[in-house]
Amino acid sequence: MPNRPGGDPPVIVVGAGPAGSATAAYLARAGVSTLLLEKSSFPRVKACGDGLTPRAVRELIHLGVPFNEEDGWLRNRGLRVFGGGHELELPWPKLASFPDFGLTLPREEFDHRLASHAQAAGAILMENTAVVGPVFDERTGRIAGVRAKTPGGEEVFRAPVIVSADGVSGRLAGAVGRWTNQKRPHGVAVRARVRLPKPPAHSHHTEWMESHLELWDGPREAGKLMPGYGWVFPEAHGIVNIGVGSVASTAKAPGTNYRQLLTKWMDSLAPRWGFTAEDIIDAPRSAALPMCFSRQPLYARGLMLVGDAAGMVSPFDGEGIAYALQSGRYAASAIAAALAWPAGPGREAALRVYPDRVKRVLGGYFSLGRVFVKLIEHPAVMRVCTRYGLPRPQLMRLVMKLLSDLYEPRGGDWMDRTIATLARLAPAA
Ligand SMILES: Cc1cc2nc3c(=O)[nH]c(=O)nc-3n(C[C@H](O)[C@H](O)[C@H](O)COP(=O)(O)OP(=O)(O)OC[C@H]3O[C@@H](n4cnc5c(N)ncnc54)[C@H](O)[C@@H]3O)c2cc1C
């Protein structure tokens, strides 16, 4: 154990992605000493669309992370949706509970800034520190620490509460027997980044996050329709993040080569955006998207799961950053309150506030998502929805609120009330 001031910290957070850094920042702000262990060192590349919806922006506001344009953030007004031969611009809804803009920032910078933010709040960040397994209290069977490979050799770090924020691999949770539920929806996504030789002259190109509900490997209708959906998210400095993904109602292995699919789709996009293969600055990278609380329980016996480690990607739109940040906020709040109790049943009850709160707020919505995925994984259903839904702007505004989880949980207009009622009626995942 390294000689840190104050001895062992009361909380260890494993993984400094958005979920881990948010948890550590909130804990440090609450005066809880926190050790944040990260296997890589910043800045590091991460496969992502780099897109933040207003839900994620709201979390940045909660965290107090600034997002000025001069620091490389690019704001957007909403989604431009393509499908069934239609093209529709859908501004982010105007709601009391959320800002009305989204953002993009490469994950290389985004994650670095969040980790630095946690450090500035008082968390101790240890990079190049890969957690390789749990340490148990032999008397109680609870997790009591972790073993980690550090530049100085293997070390043991002990704490009464451990947070697993190690992403989709969920290695730590797996080591205590919390396996992925194969019956929950899962996605796969791959992305590349391109520097446009001629940055778009008009903001019309950069102020919308493009979402393509159909992927053609050539001109529309003349080419072949490929499985999945695609996106083009403009970033600052004339860069675009281009990706494809798909979602299935269970964790079955996809039969598609998504890297090849991305390359083909990029060929078809190139003329419109004016780039060639030479302009790719960040080669295709892929990863799985764990959805709908695919790993549970979210808290038990000293180990709490946040973000992708708990399977918190939205089945509706593949968004995971907002939920990673939000779960970090809830986790830190429960842990800070629990540590005011001595070890024992009072502390355990306070820690269980976390899963209860996450399920209450997000559970119904994720359950609706499971139904949604079951429907859209049939291409025929998807095609009918795209062809007949997209030309109906009022219906699409409702769909956008539903898909991006942007509705007033209480009050609001009829669309907000419809979605909120459905989410309340659905079982809490
Ligand atoms: C291609 C693609 C595109 C996506 N696009 C978007 C998008 O545009 N918007 C969006 O909101 N979401 C998107 N997502 C989902 C999003 O990337 C994730 O939901 C999000 O990164 C989850 O954050 P996290 O902190 O839980 O996990 P991660 O971001 O995966 O962070 C986990 C951290 O833990 C570290 N770690 C792992 N194992 C260990 C260990 N053993 N010891 C120590 N540290 C460890 C990792 O190095 C990493 O830093 C996309 C995903 C993919 C694959």
Side-chain angles (χ1 to χ4, degrees):
M1 186 79 197
N3 192 11
R4 282 182 303 279
D8 292 350
V11 181
I12 290 171
V13 179
V14 180
S21 290
T23 310
Y26 283 117
L27 282 168
R29 258 170 35 184
V32 177
S33 60
T34 304
L35 188 57
L36 180 56
L37 306 179
E38 168 57 45
K39 73 174 179 190
S40 59
S41 65
F42 293 107
R44 55 113 179 84
V45 176
K46 161 88 189 154
C48 188
D50 304 334
L52 303 179
T53 65
R55 170 169 280 275
V57 179
R58 181 181 72 163
E59 291 302 322
L60 293 182
I61 294 168
H62 277 304
L63 259 177
V65 172
F67 38 78
N68 303 314
E69 299 223 348
E70 54 273 24
D71 296 328
W73 299 86
L74 187 71
R75 284 191 186 211
N76 56 66
R77 298 173 51 184
L79 294 180
R80 181 184 288 133
V81 185
F82 294 81
H86 310 288
E87 180 182 330
L88 186 66
E89 281 168 4
L90 293 165
W92 298 117
K94 302 242 177 265
L95 297 166
S97 307
F98 297 93
D100 65 349
F101 61 93
L103 291 166
T104 51
L105 184 73
R107 286 292 294 275
E108 201 172 342
E109 291 173 43
F110 181 76
D111 288 23
H112 192 185
R113 285 187 204 177
L114 286 189
S116 303
H117 189 72
Q119 265 183 308
I124 300 167
L125 170 67
M126 287 183 67
E127 295 168 75
N128 301 307
T129 302
V131 167
V132 290
V135 171
F136 294 102
D137 178 331
E138 281 176 15
R139 199 173 45 85
T140 60
R142 282 171 63 93
I143 189 168
V146 292
R147 283 182 294 110
K149 276 194 186 143
T150 75
E154 191 160 309
E155 289 184 34
V156 169
F157 299 90
R158 291 182 187 278
V161 183
I162 315 279
V163 179
S164 160
D166 46 352
V168 62
S169 80
R171 182 170 178 166
L172 187 58
V176 303
R178 281 183 225 173
W179 308 112
T180 301
N181 181 343
Q182 304 287 320
K183 293 196 176 139
R184 293 283 156 114
H186 276 74
V188 181
V190 53
R191 72 90 179 97
R193 291 171 69 244
V194 171
R195 187 183 297 279
L196 301 174
K198 254 209 230 144
H202 197 273
S203 60
H204 183 70
H205 278 84
T206 56
E207 59 192 10
W208 301 93
M209 291 166 81
E210 283 195 0
S211 177
H212 295 249
L213 304 179
E214 293 171 342
L215 299 180
W216 294 92
D217 73 350
R220 215 192 104 72
E221 302 292 356
K224 205 172 124 218
L225 191 58
M226 303 182 291
Y229 60 88
W231 72 79
V232 183
F233 293 168
E235 300 182 349
H237 313 302
I239 292 170
V240 284
N241 183 311
I242 303 179
V244 299
S246 80
V247 58
S249 57
T250 62
K252 61 179 180 260
T256 308
N257 181 332
Y258 283 95
R259 283 173 197 233
Q260 260 176 27
L261 183 65
L262 177 63
T263 310
K264 272 193 181 168
W265 189 55
M266 283 175 78
D267 288 346
S268 74
L269 279 181
R272 190 162 72 87
W273 284 91
F275 65 83
T276 66
E278 323 263 270
D279 301 314
I280 297 177
I281 52 167
D282 210 345
R285 279 174 189 257
S286 61
L289 302 168
M291 298 171 164
C292 297
F293 304 135
S294 54
R295 209 184 275 272
Q296 297 198 48
L298 302 180
Y299 173 76
R301 302 170 74 75
L303 184 65
M304 198 168 268
L305 315 185
V306 290
D308 275 15
M312 288 197 197
V313 173
S314 165
F316 287 103
D317 65 356
E319 175 182 18
I321 298 170
Y323 302 101
L325 300 173
Q326 191 174 359
S327 61
R329 178 158 61 91
Y330 292 173
S333 151
I335 295 169
L339 290 173
W341 290 82
R347 181 183 286 179
E348 284 307 292
L351 287 166
R352 279 197 298 273
V353 165
Y354 167 71
D356 292 349
R357 185 174 181 196
V358 173
K359 293 278 185 84
R360 185 164 27 84
V361 178
L362 302 174
Y365 181 70
F366 282 175
S367 291
L368 285 183
R370 288 166 64 188
V371 179
F372 171 78
V373 172
K374 277 218 158 81
L375 288 173
I376 59 136
E377 71 185 343
H378 301 289
V381 176
M382 185 65 181
R383 288 205 82 179
V384 169
C385 294
T386 322
R387 187 161 295 171
Y388 299 104
L390 274 180
R392 293 172 173 74
Q394 178 83 336
L395 173 65
M396 284 311 291
R397 276 194 286 278
L398 169 73
V399 171
M400 189 220 214
K401 284 187 167 198
L402 173 68
L403 264 51
S404 53
D405 198 2
L406 291 171
Y407 60 93
E408 297 291 4
R410 262 168 215 84
D413 60 16
W414 69 268
M415 298 187 226
D416 299 317
R417 290 195 297 276
T418 307
I419 302 169
T421 306
L422 286 173
R424 263 198 298 277
L425 291 177

